[in-house]
Amino acid sequence: MSARVYLDWNATAPLRAEARVAMLAAMDVVGNPSSVHAEGRAARAVVERAREQLAEALGAAAADIVFTSGATEAAALALAGRDLQCAMVEHECVTAWCEAELDAGADGKVAVEDPTNSALQLANGETGIIQDLPEGLAVSDLVQGFGKLPFGFDWSGVSIGFVSAHKFGGPKGVGALVMKQGIDLLPRMRGGGQEMGRRSGTENVIGIAGLGAAAAAARRDLDNGRWDEVAALRDRLESRLLDAVPDLAIIGRGQKRLPNVTCFAVPGWKGETQVMQMDLAGFAVSAGSACSSGKVRPSKVLRAMGLDDVTASSALRVSIGPDTKEGDLMRFADAWIKAHQRRAATTGAAAAG
Amino acid sequence: MSARVYLDWNATAPLRAEARVAMLAAMDVVGNPSSVHAEGRAARAVVERAREQLAEALGAAAADIVFTSGATEAAALALAGRDLQCAMVEHECVTAWCEAELDAGADGKVAVEDPTNSALQLANGETGIIQDLPEGLAVSDLVQGFGKLPFGFDWSGVSIGFVSAHKFGGPKGVGALVMKQGIDLLPRMRGGGQEMGRRSGTENVIGIAGLGAAAAAARRDLDNGRWDEVAALRDRLESRLLDAVPDLAIIGRGQKRLPNVTCFAVPGWKGETQVMQMDLAGFAVSAGSACSSGKVRPSKVLRAMGLDDVTASSALRVSIGPDTKEGDLMRFADAWIKAHQRRAATTGAAAAG
């Protein structure tokens, strides 16, 4: 039996070796970062080192970073009570707090009317479509774009952004908000006054250490062009699929997209069914975002782009990373094409029968 | 030079070997627990195994557990918007959301008027004083008591409790809320609908694995009487200090206290000064809770018990655990007694001079 092939990096990326090393080292640091003794100061140093690593990778100042338990918490901190406008292509942790009144075009691009009153993602996790962030944008979900795309917070014109460690090779359950200086946010976690009073609670020292190391490594990969190689690999996958299924609908093809994702649909062949068939064949892929993956319903993202319910229920997402091997990806392509042919034969037979 | 001696377990406990092993194993589990493929199911299994471990250690059902990023988040989830009553002996993550109208006696015990409308801690982190939790209590901060005291959520009469992993040998940045069935809470983290919709956000799989393993190990230690040994060790420390300084004020002595903590004051000798002197001598101890330790001000907990500002500013907390060696603790006692004698000589000379 072949080994499993993981092609669901946008749901969560494997833990980077650099993150693992940093986390192991942090396990030996016993203190509470708020304690003033040597053990406390050592734990504080781990947190502040990671803050500098993330700030440098993001193009921001360390003082602008607020560590959180992930993007969902960061989104709530950035958005709750503000009634910003957004589009339905945003992640549910954003639409939970926004007025989803903005339209996405058929190309997935969102027309922002009032940037200072809007939230707009850097890139979409399902389709990979990249947005042009307007100057003065209030909030941007950087989760899927950070580490895969050149991005500098300082020159982005964005007031508040947020990231999630496990999307760039850090651990799950830790993330960060980055904000321009001078912005005041109402703290939602109150108590000990950590994170300059913006987010109380003893810091996730081990997780934060992993986040920092992963951010630095992700930035290095980006600077070294590794994501260009990933994009080339993704393009070869799409070419092979199109060779076999010429009328395959690849969402966002030809647009600016994340380098590592392809989202395609065979109308009527449910995404969930494909996920299960591919899982049995040894491949981990997804039908939409992971959070929604237990729920069998059309992708809100694809619906917002004007796709009909049947097509929006039939999308498959394949997302890869720098560790993905071409041979594994092409084995996936072959398995999917075979399943597609089997289905076409059955459907054809049924239609003929 | 001697090795450092860590005597600040109530600020944060060292990571248990069992937690480390579980976390290392979880690092190799790549999936997102919300993903339906094999990798996702493996991650889900890690989370659910930990949920069962914590539930068993707490005396609750697995379905009653909601994982959070720690006690501060759990407290906000349990308390925000409810205006419950509490006393100032509670941790700041509780007083942030309560009306601090309840009185603590000189013995630190809080008289609850209306349990269904009140929050009361199981035990205090600074003094170790244990409260009698009244039947029907709305919320209890179990952070410092869980794992050190016999406690069963099911028979406690408490509606909602919460714990923090790093206080019982798990990692920092992960905790849990435990609630009686049928209680509805307004989710504060919204989006993907994780934790049965009560707390969205991709689960901290590695941290949760560590929490579960630490909870099981803590429960084992408790059942095996290891905390009785810790209490005996703490008592020997107190005896030695009292032998040297007969008029030493030990807060809560003779009352039901946590087995591992002693809090004592020499009025006029600032706790912060003692912490620094002991730190230089190689011992990590604390002057109050870690969150507040950067702030030089009288302990709110001791003030609430009616101690004057001078005494409340002069307390030192020593908190130990099952790994604490008697020799190390007695070396601390000797170092503290020596510092006390030096100070007495200086103060006496100053008074005479």
Side-chain angles (χ1 to χ4, degrees), chain A residues 4 8 34 37 39 188 293, chain B residues 4 34 37 39 188 293:
Chain A
R4 300 267 314 170
D8 200 6
S34 295
H37 46 56
E39 286 77 357
R188 294 173 57 80
S293 58
Chain B
R4 300 269 313 171
S34 295
H37 46 57
E39 286 78 357
R188 293 172 58 80
S293 58

Side-chain angles (χ1 to χ4, degrees), chain B residues 105-305:
Chain B
D107 59 359
K109 300 294 272 290
V110 176
V112 171
E113 292 152 20
D114 176 4
T116 63
N117 195 32
S118 299
L120 181 62
Q121 60 194 193
L122 175 57
N124 187 276
E126 294 185 33
T127 64
I129 290 169
I130 297 169
Q131 302 287 342
D132 299 314
L133 303 183
E135 178 66 34
L137 184 66
V139 176
S140 182
D141 168 357
L142 308 173
V143 169
Q144 294 285 357
F146 172 67
K148 300 172 192 154
L149 298 174
F151 176 82
F153 181 74
D154 281 347
W155 48 257
S156 70
V158 173
S159 296
I160 305 180
F162 54 86
V163 299
S164 172
H166 76 100
K167 305 293 191 185
F168 54 86
K172 289 174 261 290
V174 55
L177 190 133
V178 53
M179 51 203 281
K180 279 206 190 311
Q181 277 164 42
I183 294 180
D184 251 351
L185 285 175
L186 187 70
R188 293 172 58 80
M189 312 251 290
R190 304 181 195 168
Q194 287 90 345
E195 296 295 289
M196 310 284 284
R198 298 176 293 193
R199 198 276 188 187
S200 288
T202 297
E203 296 87 345
N204 177 351
V205 176
I206 297 169
I208 287 171
L211 178 154
R219 178 61 189 259
R220 252 190 329 267
D221 276 357
L222 190 63
D223 293 346
N224 292 338
R226 289 204 65 187
W227 290 97
D228 299 331
E229 297 163 26
V230 171
L233 192 56
R234 185 267 319 268
D235 292 346
R236 286 200 288 282
L237 168 66
E238 292 187 344
S239 296
R240 181 170 305 205
L241 297 178
L242 282 171
D243 283 348
V245 186
D247 62 344
L248 185 67
I250 298 184
I251 318 298
R253 192 158 198 249
Q255 286 180 243
K256 277 196 299 175
R257 278 186 299 164
L258 290 176
N260 73 318
V261 61
T262 180
C263 178
F264 50 88
V266 175
W269 190 14
K270 291 252 185 218
E272 287 303 315
T273 309
Q274 298 181 57
V275 167
M276 284 185 272
Q277 289 181 332
M278 292 299 105
D279 188 32
L280 288 171
F283 303 95
V285 293
S286 135
S289 75
C291 310
S292 319
S293 58
K295 308 156 197 161
V296 179
R297 63 179 185 203
S299 156
K300 286 186 197 170
V301 171
L302 301 183
R303 288 289 293 117
M305 293 170 64

Side-chain angles (χ1 to χ4, degrees), chain A residues 114-162:
Chain A
D114 176 5
T116 62
N117 195 32
S118 299
L120 180 62
Q121 60 194 192
L122 177 56
N124 187 276
E126 293 184 33
T127 64
I129 290 169
I130 297 170
Q131 302 287 343
D132 299 314
L133 303 184
E135 178 66 33
L137 184 66
V139 176
S140 183
D141 169 357
L142 308 173
V143 169
Q144 293 286 356
F146 172 67
K148 300 172 193 155
L149 299 174
F151 177 82
F153 181 74
D154 281 347
W155 48 257
S156 70
V158 174
S159 295
I160 306 180
F162 54 87

Side-chain angles (χ1 to χ4, degrees), chain B residues 51 62 64-68 77 175-179 195 198-199:
Chain B
R51 197 186 306 277
D64 305 340
I65 305 283
V66 180
F67 287 121
T68 68
L77 188 54
L177 190 133
V178 53
M179 51 203 281
E195 296 295 289
R198 298 176 293 193
R199 198 276 188 187

Side-chain angles (χ1 to χ4, degrees), chain A residues 78-92:
Chain A
L79 295 164
R82 297 180 65 189
D83 290 327
L84 299 183
Q85 295 185 318
C86 71
M88 283 305 290
V89 299
E90 299 291 325
H91 188 275
E92 287 168 325

Side-chain angles (χ1 to χ4, degrees), chain A residues 4 8 11-12 20 24 28 30-32 34 37-39 41 69 172 188 192 199 203 279 285 290 293 295, chain B residues 4 8 11-12 20 24 28 30-32 34 37-39 41 69 172 188 192 199 203 279 285 290 293 295:
Chain A
R4 300 267 314 170
D8 200 6
T12 191
R20 184 186 297 249
L24 285 176
D28 290 326
V30 68
N32 184 319
S34 295
H37 46 56
E39 286 77 357
R41 296 193 303 272
S69 63
K172 288 173 263 291
R188 294 173 57 80
R199 198 276 189 186
E203 297 87 344
D279 188 32
V285 294
S293 58
K295 308 156 197 161
Chain B
R4 300 269 313 171
D8 201 7
T12 192
R20 184 187 297 249
L24 285 176
D28 290 325
V30 68
N32 184 319
S34 295
H37 46 57
E39 286 78 357
R41 297 193 303 273
S69 64
K172 289 174 261 290
R188 293 172 58 80
R199 198 276 188 187
E203 296 87 345
D279 188 32
V285 293
S293 58
K295 308 156 197 161

